[in-house]
Amino acid sequence: MSHEGIRALQLEKLQKQVRHVYDNVAYYRNLMDERGVKPEDIVTLEDIAKLPFLSKDDLREAYPYGMLATDIKNCVRIQSTSGTTGKRVVAFYTQEDIEIWEECCARAIVAAGGTNEDVCQVCYGYGLFTGGPGLNGGSHKVGCLTLPMSSGNTDRQIQFMMDLGATILCCTPSYAAYIGESLKERGYKPEDNKLKAGIFGAEPWTEEMRRDIERSLGIKAYDIYGLTETSGPGVSFECEEQTGMHINEDHFLAEIIDPDTGEVLPEGSKGELVFTSLDKEAFPLLRYRTRDICVLTREKCSCGRTFVKMSKPMGRSDDMMIIRGVNVFPSQIEAVLLNEGYAPNYLIEVDRVNNSDTLDVFVEMSEEYFSDTVKNITKREKALAAAIRAMLGISPSVHLVAPKTIERSEGKAVRVIDKRKRLGINI
């Protein structure tokens, strides 16, 4: 489709979607009314700038049903991601929403060379996490033989991969790297497997990591991007050119804004990525701020696709980190500490060791705890680690340290040291 054709389709869908949201979502209608904007004010695509933004704070405030735009009886599924204060972001789907989401994931698989003759091994987590269900459905739409492995149990992953001749691997890049290392430890060479492509997302990864994975598995590695709030993976995907991810513009309208002022920036500018869901029925978000910093470009692509490309995210405009594919905010950890009776004196260290993220949390003890026995301190560390794991869904290493040993600051406290940045990873 030509650029003009895409814009015409987007405008038609945008006008319909704004009316749908205004009529059915009181929370967003109030935001529009506060700005004095009505659905009929959206005459051109540029008029989207008249609409208010949505943020994760809005989704928390409206939790659980405040952003639902259809009767609950029309919904067939929820997916979810963690929230910063214990409340999770819950996204609702009608059957048509799922069909569109799976179509987007199918496009990603086809862009990676997938056909109905492929065996697609999905090692993303299933359940509330969107990775597994999205790529599973996309694989079905392409007609691949789908191996719904979920994450973990690497011995079984390798057994099925080798015995059933998997040709496409879908998982986080860090797990793909681990599978490559595990195959080598078992005496396999890259040419021993039948893999030809991998579709990796849910966490940041560098070009160096891409090449390492490609060498260890003997494949071509493709990036995929998505958010639970907009559907899940498949919002955008890489093609064979591997120079950015094509956004499915017939379903998502992308903007780049100045994260401080909210001003819409021209194409090619570096700024915060904002998405509008053009045809979601149950959970349509208008102008949702992703907090991801990137660049959009419409330079002609050798693959022939005309959808705009987004760069790999170059960082965040908030304090969120992505650790092992999970969204983590320091405030989540702080909330656990306070709930468990600790003072909010802590330091978070994140690193990547052997292509896997590590999470260490250093917490100051009170004088009372510090005088405890080593056995009791170890017991407290395990209990605190379990509480943080219950909040985040990933396991940290907790270290209880002596009082007043974590450096204080007269300005904004330094709570996070992300050592992955030394590797050139944009977090």
Side-chain angles (χ1 to χ4, degrees):
M1 185 178 287
S2 68
H3 178 45
E4 293 74 21
I6 292 171
R7 285 178 59 84
L9 178 63
Q10 288 183 322
L11 177 58
E12 178 186 344
K13 288 190 172 187
L14 177 63
Q15 290 171 326
K16 181 179 179 182
Q17 188 71 296
V18 172
R19 170 55 68 183
H20 173 57
V21 171
Y22 188 84
D23 289 346
N24 294 284
V25 182
Y27 186 96
Y28 198 77
R29 180 169 62 249
N30 292 336
L31 293 179
M32 287 180 63
D33 288 345
E34 287 173 8
R35 293 192 61 161
V37 59
K38 301 294 183 184
E40 52 269 24
D41 295 329
I42 307 303
V43 179
T44 68
L45 277 183
E46 286 70 27
D47 289 333
I48 193 172
K50 298 176 181 178
L51 297 173
F53 293 111
L54 281 174
S55 69
K56 191 159 284 190
D57 287 338
D58 291 301
L59 303 191
R60 288 198 299 270
E61 186 174 335
Y63 173 91
Y65 292 115
M67 296 300 296
L68 186 60
T70 188
D71 195 296
I72 193 70
K73 69 181 180 183
N74 299 322
C75 299
V76 298
R77 190 194 299 177
I78 67 161
Q79 304 285 166
S80 179
T81 186
S82 62
T84 63
T85 59
K87 287 185 179 180
R88 304 179 67 90
V89 172
V90 178
F92 298 84
Y93 300 74
T94 65
Q95 186 58 45
E96 179 62 20
D97 291 337
I98 290 175
E99 295 290 338
I100 291 173
W101 176 25
E102 292 178 348
E103 169 68 22
C104 290
C105 289
R107 293 176 183 179
I109 293 171
V110 170
T115 72
N116 60 3
E117 296 182 354
D118 281 294
V119 179
C120 186
Q121 184 160 337
V122 182
C123 310
Y124 287 110
Y126 282 66
L128 289 173
F129 179 59
T130 57
L135 271 300
N136 189 92
S139 177
H140 285 182
K141 278 195 175 293
V142 175
C144 303
L145 173 61
T146 307
L147 309 183
M149 302 296 295
S150 193
S151 56
N153 200 333
T154 304
D155 286 336
R156 186 176 62 184
Q157 300 277 6
I158 290 175
Q159 178 190 345
F160 273 64
M161 178 187 297
M162 303 304 292
D163 292 350
L164 295 174
T167 56
I168 298 175
L169 179 65
C170 303
C171 60
T172 62
S174 57
Y175 192 54
Y178 181 71
I179 289 176
E181 293 169 1
S182 299
L183 284 167
K184 184 177 180 180
E185 290 172 358
R186 289 162 175 75
Y188 290 111
K189 298 177 181 178
E191 58 267 26
D192 292 335
N193 70 67
K194 293 186 178 180
L195 292 173
K196 67 179 186 181
I199 300 174
F200 308 132
E203 65 186 15
W205 51 312
T206 62
E207 286 301 311
E208 290 74 21
M209 188 173 183
R210 185 206 297 268
R211 301 310 167 202
D212 286 344
I213 292 171
E214 291 182 333
R215 283 192 293 269
S216 68
L217 293 175
I219 63 172
K220 192 163 184 175
Y222 297 83
D223 207 346
I224 190 170
Y225 175 91
L227 309 96
T228 299
E229 296 92 322
T230 55
S231 67
V235 171
S236 65
F237 58 89
E238 272 190 327
C239 65
E240 60 202 30
E241 202 174 80
Q242 294 179 308
T243 57
M245 291 170 278
H246 290 284
I247 295 172
N248 282 307
E249 290 189 279
D250 51 339
H251 300 302
F252 305 99
L253 177 58
E255 303 171 83
I256 294 291
I257 65 167
D258 182 313
D260 296 322
T261 67
E263 176 191 2
V264 178
L265 301 177
E267 181 184 320
S269 302
K270 179 180 176 181
E272 182 182 340
L273 183 61
V274 172
F275 275 120
T276 292
S277 301
L278 291 174
D279 41 22
K280 281 201 73 175
E281 295 176 332
F283 197 71
L285 300 186
L286 305 183
R287 306 198 82 196
Y288 182 71
R289 298 186 62 163
T290 68
R291 299 297 181 180
D292 286 323
I293 302 298
C294 72
V295 174
L296 299 181
T297 177
R298 289 194 179 276
E299 291 182 6
K300 187 175 181 180
C301 187
S302 62
C303 77
R305 292 174 178 84
T306 54
F307 286 154
V308 69
K309 276 185 182 178
M310 60 174 279
S311 66
K312 274 179 175 286
M314 302 171 182
R316 298 279 304 175
S317 64
D318 60 9
D319 60 354
M320 189 188 85
M321 303 169 287
I322 302 177
I323 303 174
R324 300 176 214 155
V326 175
N327 296 347
V328 175
F329 292 83
S331 55
Q332 290 175 296
I333 295 174
E334 184 172 309
V336 173
L337 298 183
L338 294 172
N339 189 57
E340 295 294 318
Y342 294 88
N345 299 318
Y346 62 95
L347 180 66
I348 301 167
E349 285 192 1
V350 187
D351 204 349
R352 183 161 288 175
V353 179
N354 296 325
N355 288 317
S356 182
D357 290 336
T358 61
L359 173 61
D360 289 85
V361 182
F362 298 85
V363 183
E364 284 187 3
M365 291 180 284
S366 65
E367 295 289 349
E368 174 190 358
Y369 293 161
F370 184 57
S371 61
D372 221 335
T373 64
V374 172
K375 181 178 180 181
N376 283 341
I377 290 174
T378 300
K379 184 178 179 181
R380 289 183 181 282
E381 287 176 334
K382 290 181 178 179
L384 187 52
I388 294 174
R389 182 174 63 249
M391 166 67 83
L392 303 180
I394 57 175
S395 297
S397 295
V398 170
H399 314 273
L400 293 178
V401 299
K404 299 181 180 179
T405 54
I406 294 177
E407 186 177 352
R408 280 9 181 215
S409 171
E410 293 182 1
K412 184 176 180 181
V414 177
R415 298 296 194 194
V416 179
I417 298 176
D418 199 329
K419 297 180 178 179
R420 294 175 297 180
K421 293 179 180 178
R422 77 187 190 282
L423 304 174
I425 301 171
N426 292 312
I427 306 303

